[in-house]
Amino acid sequence: MVVSFDRKTPVFQLAFPPRGHYRPVLLPLWVYQVTAPTGYSRALDVFQMVVLRLCAAGVRDVGDLSRLIGLDTTLCRTVAARLVEGQLMEPGLRLTEAGRRTLAEGEVPETDPRLVRVFQDPATGTLLPRILVADPVRADVREHRGRWVTIQFGTAGASREVRALTLHGTGTSLRPSERDVLDACRSHDMAARNLRGTSRNSDHTTTTARRVGFHGIPNPAYLVCYTVQDDDGSGRNWTLHDPFAVGDGRAFADLLAGRVEQDEQLSGLIDDLVGRERRDRTTTARKVDRELAEDARADVVQILGEEIREHPEVFAHLADIELALVKDTARERENAARNAIRVFECILPGLNEKFPAQLPASRVPGVRERAFVLAAQRLGATSVPPELRKRCANPSNNLIGDIIRAIWAAGDNSQHPFGEFIRQRPTLLEELDRSRILRNKATHGATGAPASDELAFIRTLAHEAARHLLGLSGGRPTARG
């Protein structure tokens, strides 16, 4: 990758410009094509969902489907055939178990490896926390003068032009590890699911790392990004609009933040967007933020011991919760609610893989529910929330399903760490349900920021989860929330 703009290098546009004032920049990247289990989930279209619902209600004839939906019989037959190919239905318009689960959750998890693109920052060698499944949209370069490039999007009659600054991109490509690729896949899926207000199902990296394959050599590309004004109460006055349109752009803004002081033209662009005084305040705020983040990580290590560093994703979520306690803004409190749940989402899939659950043979709903409640009570749980009872017969691939599987497995194995966690914290299941509700409010509620006492409760629960479920022995106990 070179510093000056190379007209032969493709320019990708993945997200529409945000509303309001913005300044485009071109972020240079190395692009790898890999095969990886993405954890990606796709939503069915409206026709597929209607057909699934009608067939679940007992419709068994394509002619009846056509009459009820108001679509041509041939089209209904085609929709049904696609659902059969996707193993969501059987011939005869009967739903499979996967079809019933999809109908309940509204999306189809795709766990088989697939070809995706991952993106590496040339300056640091780190992967962006995003992947691309579909082919990227390329922009046409109309003019370039030094580092300023005019690019056109769309076709004649419906096109628009923007003038963007090309960022410095020195650095050779460095092939990422399989774990880095999986982390990018999980981060993208997590951001996409948070956008839709649903839980994430994390694949366990220990077993899936063997399923990552690299194809060809990395290629350079430029990604169109948009700097925007954003005051979140912490002193940050600008950030980046997420160029992948699935989450917030703070991770991308951090790539720019380290370059502003050394890049006069980038500084000028930020000045033009927010004004010199606000830009200086933002630079100072980001420096303070980095120091606060280091202190937060040190606090987590002091509480849980050096062993927590061996679990980087959990470590990062716990540090973010500590940071939220210090900043105490509405956005940070919302992030704390999400991060507490992510701690469990990071840990439980691996535990369930290590201690597979054996579901009772009986398929009678009432019998299985009573057996589930009995198993939880024998572990020491004071009560079992209704959502766990309702789904105990067919645990889905989300947080609730992971908790259910852990309870079933712990009931059969006295060495299971989840069972010991419940014995030490008998109200755990109620607290998890409470945390899940707080997370949902933080993700898509009208007033989602937890109160201060709820934040302290969230912090304690997350620390204790890491201590018990990861088997950490160092540090000092967390005060009970």
Side-chain angles (χ1 to χ4, degrees), residues 10-14 29-38 40 113-121 126-138 176 180-189 212-223 244 252:
V11 177
F12 294 157
Q13 159 89 347
L14 304 182
L29 299 168
W30 290 110
V31 183
Y32 291 81
Q33 290 199 79
V34 301
T35 302
T38 63
Y40 179 78
R114 61 186 308 179
L115 187 65
V116 300
R117 290 177 176 86
V118 294
F119 303 87
Q120 185 179 59
D121 174 29
T126 59
L127 287 189
L128 300 187
R130 299 290 186 267
I131 62 173
L132 186 63
V133 179
D135 289 334
V137 176
R138 293 183 62 162
D180 289 338
V181 172
L182 291 167
D183 285 344
C185 291
R186 280 197 306 276
S187 295
H188 183 102
D189 187 54
V212 173
F214 290 83
H215 299 268
I217 61 173
N219 295 304
Y222 294 99
L223 180 62
F244 292 80
F252 305 94

Side-chain angles (χ1 to χ4, degrees), residues 89-159:
M89 285 205 317
E90 299 172 345
L93 305 184
R94 297 182 183 277
L95 270 64
T96 62
E97 180 60 37
R100 286 188 288 273
R101 186 165 59 248
T102 296
L103 192 58
E105 299 180 4
E107 58 185 16
V108 185
E110 297 186 6
T111 57
D112 291 336
R114 61 186 308 179
L115 187 65
V116 300
R117 290 177 176 86
V118 294
F119 303 87
Q120 185 179 59
D121 174 29
T124 62
T126 59
L127 287 189
L128 300 187
R130 299 290 186 267
I131 62 173
L132 186 63
V133 179
D135 289 334
V137 176
R138 293 183 62 162
D140 293 327
V141 176
R142 310 301 296 173
E143 180 184 30
H144 71 95
R145 295 182 178 180
R147 293 174 59 194
W148 290 96
V149 180
T150 302
I151 47 183
Q152 176 181 303
F153 306 106
T155 57
S159 64

Side-chain angles (χ1 to χ4, degrees), residues 27 35-36 65 101 146-147 156 203 240 268 272 343 354 368 381 472 479:
L27 181 64
T35 302
L65 283 176
R101 186 165 59 248
R147 293 174 59 194
D203 284 327
L240 249 66
D272 185 47
V343 167
K354 184 178 180 180
R368 181 169 287 191
L472 305 180

Side-chain angles (χ1 to χ4, degrees), residues 8 28 51 175 197 316 345 353 416 422:
K8 296 180 181 179
V51 168
R175 176 167 162 166
E345 289 175 333
E353 195 169 281
H416 198 297
I422 292 178

Side-chain angles (χ1 to χ4, degrees), residues 375-456:
Q377 289 177 341
R378 285 177 173 172
L379 290 172
T382 55
S383 66
V384 181
E387 195 69 17
L388 296 182
R389 293 170 179 255
K390 183 172 67 176
R391 300 183 182 275
C392 68
N394 295 296
S396 53
N397 292 323
N398 56 21
L399 176 67
I400 291 175
D402 285 334
I403 295 170
I404 291 170
R405 279 186 283 270
I407 292 171
W408 282 124
D412 293 330
N413 189 332
S414 61
Q415 302 303 312
H416 198 297
F418 197 77
E420 178 59 27
F421 194 8
I422 292 178
R423 285 188 284 274
Q424 294 292 326
R425 202 176 181 99
T427 56
L428 174 62
L429 301 184
E430 304 157 55
E431 293 169 339
L432 269 172
D433 196 52
R434 175 183 167 191
S435 297
R436 183 181 61 83
I437 293 171
L438 287 174
R439 187 276 304 274
N440 290 344
K441 288 181 178 179
T443 300
H444 51 87
T447 55
S452 297
D453 60 334
E454 291 174 322
L455 193 60

